[in-house]
Amino acid sequence: MKRNILDEIVAQNREVLELKKKGMPFKMIASLAADAPERASFTDAFRGPGIHVIAELKKASPSKGMIREDLDVPVLAKSLLDAGAAALSVLTEQFFFLGGLKNLRAAAKTVAIPLLRKDFIFDEYQILEAKANGASAILLIAAMLNADEFKRLLDFAHQYGLTVLGEAHTESELETASSADLVGVNARDLKTFSTSLERSAELIAKLKGCGKPIIAESAVRTHKDIVMLQNAGATGFLIGESLMRAADPGAKLKELLTCC
C-alpha cells in the first residue's frame, strides 16, 4: 500500500533523527534542555478576550510547494509581534517544509512571546531539541501517535516545562488530543492535505466546555473565517500560509484581526 504524506514525512525524519542522536547523545541534549531559560507561558497567551493568533513562520509545504522563499526570521518575528501576534509557530521540519531549528533559535533571540516548535514529533529527543532551542511549546499530532505514545511524550514534555498543543483533524482523534494543555483542530486532512473550515468548526463545537484553549489551525484567510470559528468555540488561531504569502505579513495580520 502506498504511504500517505504523513507517513512519508515521519519515515524520512526518523532516519535523520538516528544520525542526530549519534552526533549529540541524549544526555548532552538533555543537559542543554535542562539549562535552557524559561519562556513566556504558551497557555496564558490564549486566555481573556480578543483574537489570539499564533502566527506561523513557514517557508514551504508538501501541498503548496514554496510559500515564502526569503524567510527572514528576525524581521518577520518582530513584524508579527508588533502586529499583535499572541505567539509564533516555527516550522522546523527540513525536508517537506524547508524549516530548521535555526529558525526557532532566531525567533527566540528576537521576541519574548511564546514559541511553538511546529514539527512531527514522535521521539523524546525532539522534545529536548525544542526546549534547548527556545520553544515554549510543542505540537503532538494525534493522527501519527497512538494514545500511549501521545501520553508518554506529553508527560515527558511537562518534565521539561513545555506546554503541549494536541492536534486532531477527525472526531476520533479528539479524545487523545484533548489530553494536552491546549487542543488544536486542524482544518487540513493530514493524509490528503485538503482543507475544510466547515469540518473544523464542527469539531471545535464538540470541544466546547472542555476548559482548555481551543486552537483553530489551517485555512484561515479572512477576518470572517476567524469570526465563524470563534462562534464555534475557538479561542485561538494558528495562521501560516495567508501571512507568509503576503508582501507584508505584519500588515496582513492586522487586517485579519480587524473587522473592516
Side-chain angles (χ1 to χ4, degrees), residues 17-35:
L17 187 62
E18 292 310 309
L19 294 175
K20 282 186 176 183
K21 290 178 178 179
K22 292 177 182 177
M24 180 175 286
F26 190 92
K27 285 186 178 180
M28 187 180 296
I29 190 70
S31 177
L32 293 174
D35 292 340

Side-chain angles (χ1 to χ4, degrees), residues 195-218:
T195 58
S196 169
L197 282 182
E198 291 71 24
R199 181 180 66 236
S200 185
E202 290 173 4
L203 294 180
I204 288 169
K206 294 180 183 298
L207 290 166
K208 275 188 176 179
C210 72
K212 299 178 179 182
I214 303 168
I215 310 300
E217 305 175 24
S218 299

Side-chain angles (χ1 to χ4, degrees), residues 120-187:
F120 299 80
I121 291 178
F122 50 83
D123 191 288
E124 286 86 349
Y125 192 96
Q126 295 167 292
I127 294 172
L128 296 174
E129 286 182 320
K131 179 68 174 180
N133 286 277
S136 315
I138 61 163
L139 179 74
L140 291 181
I141 302 172
M144 57 176 277
L145 302 165
N146 64 40
D148 289 341
E149 291 169 336
F150 194 99
K151 185 179 187 307
R152 187 188 80 237
L153 295 172
L154 172 68
D155 291 344
F156 188 82
H158 286 166
Q159 289 177 34
Y160 283 84
L162 289 168
T163 300
V164 175
L165 171 60
E167 178 180 290
H169 76 283
T170 66
E171 185 172 356
S172 63
E173 295 166 4
L174 289 179
E175 183 176 356
T176 297
S178 62
S179 65
D181 306 297
L182 305 90
V183 191
V185 173
N186 197 338

Side-chain angles (χ1 to χ4, degrees), residues 92-112:
T92 59
E93 197 283 327
Q94 62 181 312
F95 300 110
F96 296 82
F97 291 85
L98 305 183
L101 286 167
K102 66 178 182 179
N103 292 340
L104 182 59
R105 290 193 300 273
K109 290 178 182 178
T110 306
V111 297

